[in-house]
Amino acid sequence: MSVYSLFNRLQKPVDIAPLVVFRMLFGVMMFAGILRFWLNGWITDLYVKPRFYFNYWGFEWVHPLGNTGMHLLFLATGIAAIFIAAGFLYRAAAMIFFLSFTYIELIDATNYLNHYYFISLVSFLLIWLPANRYFAIDVKLWPHLKRNSVPLWTIGIIRLQIGIVYFFAGLAKLTPDWLLHALPMKIWLPAKSHLPVIGGLMYTSWVAYLFSWFGAVYDLFIAFFLITRKTRAIAYLFVIGFHLATALFFPGIGMFPYVMIICSFIFFSSSFQQKLLNSIGGRKSVVLYIHNTYQYPALLIKILTPVLAVYFFVQLIAPLRFLAYPGKLFWYEEGYRFSWRVMLMEKSGNTFFYVKEPSTGKVFEVNNNEFLTPLQDKMMSTQPDLILRYAHYLASVYQKRGLKNPAVYADCYVTLNGKRSQPFINSTIDLSGQHLSWQHYTWILPPNKNEK
């Protein structure tokens, strides 16, 4: 297929129903997630109580807004989610949701989860899509906005984004630990031995291998089965079954299974989703309108084309950036985030920091509990950039306490996928003098040769 014919195909008008249903489901799901955060007190626990926050490199200007400010920010995000679902002031609501949700997630890297990143990406895409042109309050208020069809690409880019998530999650599972040793499944599954009927199987190796191999095959191919009409229905049943099982066995993964179940619904046909809208609206007939298509203004197309081209280029390159770094990815974690690696390793560590005043030789052992929450301490102890950022913070704290040119050292031991705990950081390096960057950190000790 030539580029010209592909472009024409992507401009083909299709019924707007999948875009509308996605808008409604996404908005409702996001509101439920915000409400869940509020009711569980996580706003205070994660964004008010901590004394120190692990900023992302380049986003040091992002700070929490205090107790009242953070609750107001979450309130604004929740209201924006409702407005998205209802199609009310949609464009502004999508922008507010994207900016507020992303701001929240940039406050502290220890709160990073793949589905939070995914939500930011999808909400960014929604800003540019005419999802409020049908079955929306905006259309009730301004009838001239109503459109019954949209260019195919407006639905296709969401499907593509979901496909990217699945495919790269599958590629990430093509490792010896996952496929040949069924790790970390062999470590995790025995914790579910209390489950009725199947609990006794959780100690068997073949079940761990089944989980590992099925997960890899599922992620690699599910998007292709969803996009194919003949296999779509059965594929979606697999989506539901797979993600509900994931939620049952690994509740710590949060809302990710439900996010993927709901978002994958967009793969269903326009006729099916129009029928769904008709049932909600109380209509009996199913009518597809492939006319009155939404047309993007020429200027917006000129802006949007390079924006989306760069966007998807980054989406395809970012998960592969780990190839630019030496060593074992799961050990060094350079290029690990934003690459759709979901629950691929069991890694934990213990890190002890020491602050030394060079001029006097005085050494102070740091009590991490003075500065970090248990979650922050846990996440920091296995991620080099977080260790370095914390070391810089400690240097500034102890300098304010009167130490001259304080140096910060760390003793860190990490275990990966059940292997023996090993030294992780060169304890002779003054971390306060090391720079945060995207370059390889040479002060990370390599894993023992017999543990590779």
Side-chain angles (χ1 to χ4, degrees), residues 374-438:
L375 174 64
Q376 289 178 316
D377 193 13
K378 175 185 175 182
M379 301 303 291
M380 174 273 300
S381 293
T382 61
Q383 300 180 54
D385 60 328
L386 302 189
I387 291 173
L388 186 58
R389 191 171 289 279
Y390 182 50
H392 289 183
Y393 170 72
L394 290 175
S396 66
V397 168
Y398 278 82
Q399 188 169 28
K400 292 177 182 177
R401 291 180 178 180
L403 273 67
K404 295 182 179 179
N405 302 317
V408 181
Y409 302 89
D411 279 331
C412 181
Y413 294 85
V414 167
T415 175
L416 176 62
N417 283 345
K419 297 180 176 65
R420 185 182 305 172
S421 180
Q422 303 173 45
F424 188 57
I425 300 296
N426 187 336
S427 59
T428 66
I429 297 293
D430 174 16
L431 295 178
S432 68
Q434 302 299 310
H435 297 292
L436 283 160
S437 72
W438 285 353

Side-chain angles (χ1 to χ4, degrees), residues 55-85:
N55 299 115
Y56 286 90
W57 188 78
F59 290 91
E60 290 81 4
W61 52 271
V62 177
H63 299 287
L65 307 178
N67 185 49
T68 302
M70 288 308 302
H71 281 81
L72 288 175
L73 184 59
F74 269 85
L75 179 62
T77 309
I79 292 174
I82 295 175
F83 280 20
I84 290 173

Side-chain angles (χ1 to χ4, degrees), residues 291-310:
H291 65 277
N292 195 18
T293 303
Y294 176 80
Q295 299 290 340
Y296 278 84
L299 178 60
L300 184 56
I301 285 291
K302 289 182 179 180
I303 297 172
L304 197 53
T305 299
V307 167
L308 292 179
V310 171

Side-chain angles (χ1 to χ4, degrees), residues 183-305:
L183 291 171
M185 286 298 171
K186 283 183 179 178
I187 300 172
W188 292 339
L189 290 181
K192 299 300 176 181
S193 60
H194 64 280
L195 293 174
V197 183
I198 62 173
L201 298 174
M202 297 299 104
Y203 286 98
T204 59
S205 292
W206 71 268
V207 171
Y209 279 100
L210 176 64
F211 270 67
S212 297
W213 277 81
F214 181 82
V217 173
Y218 170 88
D219 283 338
L220 282 171
F221 297 105
I222 191 62
F224 298 103
F225 288 120
L226 285 170
I227 202 68
T228 304
R229 182 179 60 83
K230 292 182 179 180
T231 57
R232 184 176 298 131
I234 188 67
Y236 192 69
L237 290 178
F238 271 97
V239 170
I240 295 173
F242 177 83
H243 287 296
L244 288 182
T246 301
L248 173 65
F249 283 95
F250 313 111
I253 202 171
M255 287 188 65
F256 186 76
Y258 309 106
V259 169
M260 297 312 294
I261 288 173
I262 290 175
C263 288
S264 296
F265 196 78
I266 197 172
F267 284 93
F268 277 99
S269 66
S270 296
S271 59
F272 179 82
Q273 303 211 39
Q274 182 64 56
K275 184 177 181 180
L276 179 62
L277 291 178
N278 287 342
S279 65
I280 296 173
R283 299 177 183 176
K284 294 183 179 180
S285 61
V286 179
V287 180
L288 292 181
Y289 301 92
I290 308 300
H291 65 277
N292 195 18
T293 303
Y294 176 80
Q295 299 290 340
Y296 278 84
L299 178 60
L300 184 56
I301 285 291
K302 289 182 179 180
I303 297 172
L304 197 53
T305 299

Side-chain angles (χ1 to χ4, degrees), residues 10 22 34 151 161 189 200 214-215 221 286 311 316 331 333 336 348 359 373 436 448:
L10 293 176
F22 183 86
I34 296 297
Q161 180 63 74
L189 290 181
F214 181 82
F221 297 105
V286 179
Y311 171 90
L316 295 173
W331 181 258
E333 292 199 46
Y336 187 87
S348 60
S359 59
T373 67
L436 283 160
N448 294 339

Side-chain angles (χ1 to χ4, degrees), residues 2-269:
S2 67
V3 175
Y4 179 77
S5 60
L6 177 61
F7 178 80
N8 286 338
R9 179 175 174 77
L10 293 176
Q11 295 298 324
K12 175 186 175 182
V14 295
D15 192 273
I16 196 175
L19 201 57
V20 173
V21 172
F22 183 86
R23 182 205 80 214
M24 296 166 63
L25 292 176
F26 182 81
V28 171
M29 177 174 57
M30 291 302 99
F31 176 73
I34 296 297
L35 185 63
R36 175 172 169 261
F37 240 80
W38 196 296
L39 295 178
N40 281 293
W42 295 338
I43 302 175
T44 300
D45 291 342
L46 299 179
Y47 300 105
V48 178
K49 287 184 178 180
R51 179 175 176 178
F52 171 70
Y53 295 89
F54 291 87
N55 299 115
Y56 286 90
W57 188 78
F59 290 91
E60 290 81 4
W61 52 271
V62 177
H63 299 287
L65 307 178
N67 185 49
T68 302
M70 288 308 302
H71 281 81
L72 288 175
L73 184 59
F74 269 85
L75 179 62
T77 309
I79 292 174
I82 295 175
F83 280 20
I84 290 173
F88 178 53
L89 302 176
Y90 166 78
R91 195 79 64 182
M95 292 180 65
I96 291 171
F97 182 89
F98 165 70
L99 292 173
S100 59
F101 187 90
T102 304
Y103 186 94
I104 291 168
E105 297 315 313
L106 289 174
I107 290 175
D108 195 331
T110 61
N111 297 325
Y112 172 84
L113 290 172
N114 282 283
H115 62 279
Y116 293 162
Y117 175 46
F118 176 71
I119 289 167
S120 284
L121 294 177
V122 171
S123 60
F124 171 77
L125 293 177
L126 284 177
I127 294 172
W128 307 93
L129 302 180
N132 65 326
R133 297 303 179 115
Y134 184 77
F135 215 84
I137 293 178
D138 283 349
V139 172
K140 294 289 185 181
L141 296 176
W142 302 284
H144 68 279
L145 294 178
K146 186 175 181 179
R147 296 292 185 272
N148 298 314
S149 58
V150 291
L152 175 61
W153 68 265
T154 61
I155 298 170
I157 61 171
I158 298 179
R159 291 173 175 171
L160 177 58
Q161 180 63 74
I162 296 170
I164 288 173
V165 173
Y166 274 127
F167 186 71
F168 278 108
L171 282 183
K173 291 179 173 64
L174 303 183
T175 64
D177 271 0
W178 187 269
L179 297 178
L180 302 182
H181 306 295
L183 291 171
M185 286 298 171
K186 283 183 179 178
I187 300 172
W188 292 339
L189 290 181
K192 299 300 176 181
S193 60
H194 64 280
L195 293 174
V197 183
I198 62 173
L201 298 174
M202 297 299 104
Y203 286 98
T204 59
S205 292
W206 71 268
V207 171
Y209 279 100
L210 176 64
F211 270 67
S212 297
W213 277 81
F214 181 82
V217 173
Y218 170 88
D219 283 338
L220 282 171
F221 297 105
I222 191 62
F224 298 103
F225 288 120
L226 285 170
I227 202 68
T228 304
R229 182 179 60 83
K230 292 182 179 180
T231 57
R232 184 176 298 131
I234 188 67
Y236 192 69
L237 290 178
F238 271 97
V239 170
I240 295 173
F242 177 83
H243 287 296
L244 288 182
T246 301
L248 173 65
F249 283 95
F250 313 111
I253 202 171
M255 287 188 65
F256 186 76
Y258 309 106
V259 169
M260 297 312 294
I261 288 173
I262 290 175
C263 288
S264 296
F265 196 78
I266 197 172
F267 284 93
F268 277 99
S269 66

